[in-house]
Amino acid sequence: MTDNARDISVAEMNPEQLPVAEHELHGWTHFAGLYAGEHVAATEFVIGATFVALGASTQDILIGLLVGNVLAILSWTLITTPIAVQTRLSLYTYLHKIAGDSMSDLYNWANVLIFSVISSAMITVSCTAVRLLLGIPAQLQWYPTDALFVVVVLVVGMIVVLVAMYGFNAVAEFSSLCGPWLVVMFVSGALVLFPAVSDAVLGRPQLNGFADFITIGDRSIWTGVNSDGKPGIGLLEVIGFAWAANTITHFGLIDMALLRYAKRPIYGLCTSAGMLFGHYIAWIAAGIMGAGTAVLMKSTIVELDPGDVAYRALGLSGYVIVIIAGWTTANANLYRAGLAAQAIFYNHSRMRVTFAVGVVTVAIACFPFVYKQILPLLTYAGLLVVPVGAIVFAEHFLFPRVSLTRYWAKYKGLTYSTPAIASWAAGLVFGFGLNYLQVMSFFYLFLPTWVFTIVVYTFMASRYGARESYPAEEATERERNQAIKEFQLEQARSRNALVYDDSTLTRVLRVVKWLALAATLILALVVMFGSSDMDAYEGNAAIFYPWGFVLTIVYFASAYWVLQRTKKLNQAST
C-alpha cells in the first residue's frame, strides 16, 4: 500500500470513527464550562426535592454529598479520562475494536434509548417553565392533556436537536455560555428564599449564625423523616447516591465521547465544576428553594414542579433557568445518543443520525411521566452499562499488565465476542441479583459488579484468544495509526491559528458579563442578610426579581456578543 493510498483510505473514513486529532483538542475551560452547564441542570430541581422527600438529615446532606461527589470526580479523573486521552476515541468506537459488531450494536442501541429518554426528560422539564408563561395547566397525567403543551415541547425540543446536531463545539459553546449564569442563579434562588423558610421556622428572616442554618435545615428541609413519616436515608446512602448518580458516564465510560478532546488526563478534574457546583451546591440550593416555595404556596415540596420552584425563587429569571438548565443537559445527552446511533448507522453522517434520534426524543418528551421517573432511570441505566465499562477498562489497562493482547478479537476477525457478551450478561445477572437479594445498598452495587465483570472477562478472553500473539495484525494496526496521524497533520497545516478578539468593545463586554453575574449575587445576598424583618425581606425581594431578570438579559447579550464576535473572526481567517 502506498502512502497516497493510505491517505485516501483514511480520508474516506467517517471522522467520528477516527481518533481526535491534535489540533482539535480543547483547553480546560471548555470542560469546566461543559460540565458546569450539564450538571447544573433542570434535574437538580428534581433531585434536590428528592433528598427532602427521602428524609436525609442536614448533616448527612452537607457531608455525604461532598464525599460522594469527590469520589465521582476521582472516578472521572482516574478511570474515564486516561482511557479517553490515550485512545482519543469515543466508547462506541473503542468498544467496536474490542468486542466486534454484535456487542457494539447491542450496546449502542441501549445507549440510544437511555440518552434519548434522559434528553426527553430534560426537554419536558424545560417546558414546565414555558407552561407557566402560557398559562397551560400542570401536566399531571402520564400523557399530555393540553395540545398547546405538545406544541411547546416540539418548539423547545427542536432547539435542543439543532444544537446537538452541530457536535461537540456547539454543545461546549452553549454550556460554557450558560454554566456560570446557572451556578449564580441556583445560589441566588436559595439565598432569596431562605429568609422565608427562616421566618417560618425561627420567627425571623435573619440568621444569627451557622447553627441557625442547621436548625432550619433539620426542622424544615432535611428533617431526617421521609414523606411517609418514617426515618429517612442516612450518610452512607447520601454518599452512594452522589457517587452512583453518574456511574453511566464515569465507571460506564460514556464520557469518553467528551473527554477524548481533553489535552491531558488531569482535565478530568474539570468535572468538579459540575459535581461541586452542580451536584453539591445546586442540590442543596434546590432543596432550600423547594422548601421556601412550599412555605410560600402552603404546599409540600413533592407537589411542586421545577417551574413552580424556579419562579417563586427567581421571578422571571426562574423561567429562564428552568429552560436553560433543561437545554444544557439535554444537549450533551442527545449528542451522546447521536454518537451511539451513528456508530450503528456508520454510513450516515452524525448530524443526520442525531436529527433522526432527536425527532424520536422530542416525541417522547411530550409525555410528562418521563421526567418524574428520571431518578430510577439513571440508577438502573448506570448498573446496565457499568459491566461494559469494566470490559473496556480490563482490556485497556489490565491486559498489557498480565501479558494479554489488546484488540485480540479484532485481530482474529471476530464479529461476535463471546467473552464480551457473556461477561456483560454475567455482570447484569450478578448486579441485579445482588439487588434482588438486597445484599447491600443499591447505590453501591456498581462497585462489586464492575470488579466481577473485570475478573470474568479477563478469564474468558484469555481462553478465547487474548493469550495469543498477533504480530502481523499489530503491525497493520500501527501502520493504520501512523496513516491517521499523517492525514491529521496535513489537515492541521491547512488550518489557520485561532484569532483572539481583543477589541475595546469586546473587552468591555467581557467585563460587563461578569459584572452582571456579580451584581445578581450581591442583590441576592442583600435579600438574605439585609432583611431584618419580613417587610424588609419583601422590599429587598421586590428589588431582586426585576433587576435579576434585567441582569440576566445583560449577561446573555454580552456573553453572546463575545462568543459570536470571536467565531466570526476565526471563520474569516480560515
Side-chain angles (χ1 to χ4, degrees):
M1 179 182 296
T2 65
D3 289 344
N4 186 53
R6 288 191 309 170
D7 291 343
I8 291 173
S9 64
V10 172
E12 291 175 346
M13 293 180 65
N14 191 307
E16 290 290 343
Q17 308 303 314
L18 295 175
V20 171
E22 190 74 20
H23 64 274
E24 295 178 328
L25 303 182
H26 294 275
W28 68 269
T29 55
H30 272 273
F31 298 95
L34 184 67
Y35 278 94
E38 181 182 356
H39 294 284
V40 185
T43 43
E44 311 341 323
F45 287 105
V46 179
I47 295 174
T50 298
F51 281 117
V52 176
L54 290 176
S57 71
T58 305
Q59 180 174 312
D60 289 345
I61 285 291
L62 296 178
I63 298 174
L65 290 185
L66 179 62
V67 174
N69 283 305
V70 167
L71 289 172
I73 293 167
L74 293 176
S75 299
W76 265 300
T77 305
L78 300 177
I79 297 175
T80 315
T81 314
I83 300 177
V85 169
Q86 290 169 25
T87 64
R88 298 295 180 196
L89 298 172
S90 68
L91 174 64
Y92 315 110
T93 302
Y94 196 41
L95 183 63
H96 188 270
K97 290 182 67 173
I98 289 174
D101 296 337
S102 299
M103 171 80 167
S104 298
D105 289 347
L106 184 62
Y107 182 69
N108 288 330
W109 275 117
N111 277 283
V112 170
L113 176 62
I114 290 170
F115 289 119
S116 295
V117 173
I118 293 174
S119 296
S120 69
M122 294 304 95
I123 293 170
T124 308
V125 168
S126 290
C127 293
T128 64
V130 184
R131 170 188 73 76
L132 290 172
L133 277 171
L134 299 180
I136 301 171
Q139 302 295 293
L140 302 178
Q141 303 297 324
W142 67 269
Y143 54 87
T145 57
D146 191 293
L148 186 55
F149 179 78
V150 175
V151 173
V152 169
V153 171
L154 295 178
V155 173
V156 173
M158 289 315 298
I159 295 174
V160 172
V161 174
L162 290 174
V163 173
M165 282 173 60
Y166 284 92
F168 180 85
N169 287 337
V171 172
E173 288 171 359
F174 189 78
S175 295
S176 297
L177 188 71
C178 301
W181 179 82
L182 286 169
V183 172
V184 169
M185 297 309 287
F186 261 96
V187 173
S188 297
L191 292 173
V192 168
L193 280 188
F194 202 82
V197 182
S198 177
D199 185 71
V201 176
L202 303 178
R204 50 183 166 82
Q206 279 193 325
L207 276 67
N208 293 329
F210 187 70
D212 281 351
F213 175 84
I214 298 296
T215 299
I216 294 169
D218 286 340
R219 291 184 186 177
S220 182
I221 307 174
W222 306 286
T223 62
V225 178
N226 64 26
S227 56
D228 295 325
K230 299 178 181 179
I233 60 176
L235 178 63
L236 289 179
E237 284 77 15
V238 174
I239 292 173
F241 186 100
W243 191 9
N246 286 98
T247 48
I248 189 172
T249 53
H250 48 72
F251 269 78
L253 300 181
I254 295 297
D255 269 4
M256 283 177 63
L258 304 180
L259 294 168
R260 59 183 171 149
Y261 289 91
K263 289 182 178 179
R264 289 182 286 274
I266 197 66
Y267 286 8
L269 292 176
C270 292
T271 58
S272 59
M275 295 301 99
L276 297 184
F277 288 106
H279 288 191
Y280 187 66
I281 292 177
W283 282 352
I284 292 173
I288 295 171
M289 284 190 279
T293 302
V295 168
L296 294 174
M297 296 182 67
K298 295 179 173 56
S299 180
T300 63
I301 196 170
V302 295
E303 297 173 330
L304 304 172
D305 71 15
D308 295 321
V309 173
Y311 177 69
R312 285 287 181 172
L314 298 165
L316 292 176
S317 296
Y319 293 130
V320 182
I321 192 174
V322 175
I323 295 171
I324 295 296
W327 278 351
T328 52
T329 302
N331 285 333
N333 283 295
L334 188 55
Y335 174 67
R336 294 184 181 110
L339 281 177
Q342 201 271 332
I344 300 170
F345 302 104
Y346 51 84
N347 289 325
H348 299 277
S349 70
R350 189 196 55 79
M351 289 182 64
R352 180 178 296 180
V353 173
T354 301
F355 177 78
V357 172
V359 170
V360 176
T361 298
V362 174
I364 297 173
C366 293
F367 295 86
F369 82 95
V370 177
Y371 91 87
K372 296 181 180 180
Q373 300 300 318
I374 190 65
L375 294 183
L377 171 66
L378 289 175
T379 307
Y380 284 104
L383 195 57
L384 180 67
V385 302
V386 159
V388 178
I391 291 169
V392 174
F393 178 89
E395 183 123 0
H396 187 83
F397 279 122
L398 188 59
F399 277 25
R401 290 168 172 77
V402 294
S403 301
L404 299 181
T405 303
R406 281 181 187 166
Y407 321 138
W408 62 274
K410 177 183 177 182
Y411 295 159
K412 293 191 72 169
L414 300 179
T415 59
Y416 181 93
S417 172
T418 299
I421 294 177
S423 299
W424 187 12
L428 293 178
V429 171
F430 180 81
F432 284 99
L434 290 179
N435 180 52
Y436 177 77
L437 296 174
Q438 298 184 338
V439 173
M440 59 191 299
S441 171
F442 180 81
F443 300 126
Y444 292 98
L445 288 177
F446 72 93
L447 287 173
T449 300
W450 188 71
V451 174
F452 174 82
T453 308
I454 288 175
V455 173
V456 172
Y457 178 69
T458 302
F459 173 76
M460 292 191 66
S462 68
R463 295 299 185 95
Y464 275 77
R467 286 199 180 279
E468 301 174 20
S469 298
Y470 305 88
E473 290 80 2
E474 289 177 337
T476 300
E477 180 74 6
R478 287 193 296 269
E479 183 180 354
R480 176 182 178 277
N481 291 337
Q482 183 60 34
I484 291 172
K485 286 183 180 180
E486 292 171 2
F487 172 71
Q488 292 176 336
L489 283 173
E490 187 61 34
Q491 284 187 315
R493 294 188 192 102
S494 65
R495 286 179 47 141
N496 295 326
L498 293 177
V499 178
Y500 182 79
D501 183 12
D502 199 35
S503 66
T504 301
L505 178 59
T506 302
R507 280 185 292 172
V508 169
L509 290 177
R510 285 195 184 98
V511 174
V512 167
K513 74 172 186 178
W514 293 115
L515 286 178
L517 294 183
T520 301
L521 190 57
I522 289 171
L523 289 174
L525 288 168
V526 170
V527 177
M528 174 71 180
F529 297 105
S531 302
S532 57
D533 53 41
M534 287 305 291
D535 288 337
Y537 166 70
E538 291 174 1
N540 290 330
I543 296 173
F544 171 83
Y545 290 132
W547 278 105
F549 184 62
V550 170
L551 292 168
T552 288
I553 295 173
V554 171
Y555 171 78
F556 278 106
S558 56
Y560 183 76
W561 166 272
V562 172
L563 178 64
Q564 291 302 309
R565 176 63 179 168
T566 302
K567 286 179 66 177
K568 286 180 180 178
L569 285 176
N570 282 291
Q571 289 170 356
S573 69
T574 57

